[in-house]
Amino acid sequence: MLGKKLVTAQKRGETRALCLGLGMVACSMMMYFFIGITIVPFYTKSVWTTESVCKVLKANIKDKALCPNSKGSEDEDIFPYPCLQVWVNLTASGQEVMLYQTEDTLERNPKCSYVPGKSENSKEVKARIETIASNFKKYQTFPCYYDPGGMQTNVILSRLYPPKGLLFAFLWPTLMFTGGCLIIVLVKISQYVSILSAWQ
């Protein structure tokens, strides 16, 4: 009687462990799919792939510039904020080009080097932009990214999804997938050992 209870408990434990492993594998596959349709397209579309050194030539702030918050936005999404324009000398080509914060900045507003998030407090936005401009004037030389193919003549300060960030995004689903497969393999080995013990 005790032996039957132990076998039943063992089977229940194996079933739960198997369900856990399959659930982890299924969740990791969903995470892979989500990353594949969100992050990977932005990474592959970015042409600013080569790092170089940029030297600040001028950093101007145009007050009361109306800049859209996004492409195709309505009138209420357009709010005035200081438009920072930073021009740099690209060491790789020696050209004078405009600097943008990220790829998204160029898409949101090609006239400004920095586009703040939608904020009702205009004083904070103005102070932040002035701080950014003073930092550019203070640190004249810094690394930047440019398009080696020449399709984009401007440069960006940082990439939204660098290679390290993409690898980090794939790290967690990979660990979950590996853990799920390991649990399934261990359950199958346990079942095989149990069958051999029963035959003996």
Side-chain angles (χ1 to χ4, degrees), residues 23-37:
M24 291 174 66
V25 171
C27 288
S28 63
M29 297 305 293
M30 291 176 62
M31 291 173 69
Y32 277 129
F33 176 75
F34 180 76
I35 294 172
I37 63 174

Side-chain angles (χ1 to χ4, degrees), residues 49-114:
T49 56
T50 306
E51 185 175 349
S52 183
V53 177
C54 289
K55 185 177 181 180
V56 177
L57 296 176
K58 53 185 176 180
N60 301 325
I61 297 179
K62 295 184 177 180
D63 292 329
K64 298 179 180 179
L66 284 175
C67 297
N69 201 24
S70 60
K71 281 188 174 181
S73 59
E74 300 296 333
D75 291 339
E76 64 258 13
D77 290 333
I78 297 178
F79 62 99
Y81 64 87
C83 183
L84 174 64
Q85 293 182 343
V86 181
W87 293 88
V88 298
N89 181 17
L90 181 61
T91 305
S93 62
Q95 295 178 339
E96 180 181 341
V97 295
M98 189 169 178
L99 174 73
Y100 296 94
Q101 184 185 13
T102 61
E103 301 95 330
D104 185 57
T105 307
L106 178 62
E107 292 182 2
R108 291 175 64 187
N109 187 3
K111 295 181 180 180
C112 303
S113 298
Y114 172 78

Side-chain angles (χ1 to χ4, degrees), residues 173-189:
T174 302
L175 291 175
M176 185 177 291
F177 180 80
T178 305
C181 291
L182 185 61
I183 290 174
I184 294 173
V185 170
L186 291 175
V187 170
K188 291 299 181 181
I189 292 175

